[in-house]
Amino acid sequence: MSDWSEEDKKQMRERLDSRMIALRERIIEYRELTKPIPPENAIGRVSRMDAINNRSVNEAALRQLEKQLAGLERAKDRLNDDRFGLCNRCGKAIPIGRILLLPGATSCVQCSD
Ligand SMILES: [Zn+2]
């Protein structure tokens, strides 16, 4: 058992929820920015090349955000688990501060490389 109280878990759940809402909003914005690019004859060759460059940057950012969101969703699922807050390698309790900072963390500082 970890040393998380019900109150800690409640607080964590609220933090996860508000982060997830913020992330989802940003994901929607980035999806907008990574829409298919109009053909060259509509916007011109140079602007199209700019758009392609920008889009690949935005796509990378979008993937990063989606990964973060998935991590938060998993963290939220794990809150219901008895093993939440325990390192999945050594089994020791992960400090609460670390999880608040990195909700996706599933191992303690010593075990994560
Ligand atoms: Zn560990």
Side-chain angles (χ1 to χ4, degrees):
M1 282 289 284
S2 67
D3 53 0
W4 283 67
S5 67
E6 281 310 306
E7 187 51 39
D8 289 334
K9 287 190 183 180
K10 193 176 153 256
Q11 208 192 346
M12 185 71 197
R13 207 168 276 131
E14 282 164 7
R15 286 211 192 199
L16 287 173
D17 279 337
S18 64
R19 279 212 206 177
M20 281 161 77
I21 289 167
L23 266 178
R24 286 202 183 99
E25 280 171 3
R26 290 184 62 198
I27 286 174
I28 290 169
E29 284 169 24
Y30 275 96
R31 287 213 173 115
E32 205 54 39
L33 293 172
T34 53
K35 275 185 173 169
I37 296 165
E40 197 172 306
N41 59 16
I43 58 171
R45 187 166 173 271
V46 174
S47 346
R48 187 161 199 275
M49 280 173 61
D50 276 349
I52 288 170
N53 283 335
N54 289 338
R55 191 170 74 156
S56 60
V57 171
N58 289 328
E59 272 172 350
L62 177 63
R63 273 194 298 274
Q64 211 42 46
L65 291 172
E66 284 173 336
K67 233 170 96 182
Q68 278 180 36
L69 183 63
L72 295 180
E73 275 166 356
R74 282 197 301 275
K76 216 180 152 189
D77 284 345
R78 283 200 310 273
L79 270 174
N80 303 315
D81 193 322
D82 273 354
R83 293 189 50 79
F84 180 77
L86 299 179
C87 173
N88 65 6
R89 295 204 203 164
C90 71
K92 286 184 194 149
I94 303 171
I96 291 175
R98 174 169 165 79
I99 297 198
L100 289 176
L101 202 68
L102 287 173
T106 53
S107 56
C108 70
V109 183
Q110 283 77 24
C111 292
S112 66
D113 343 284

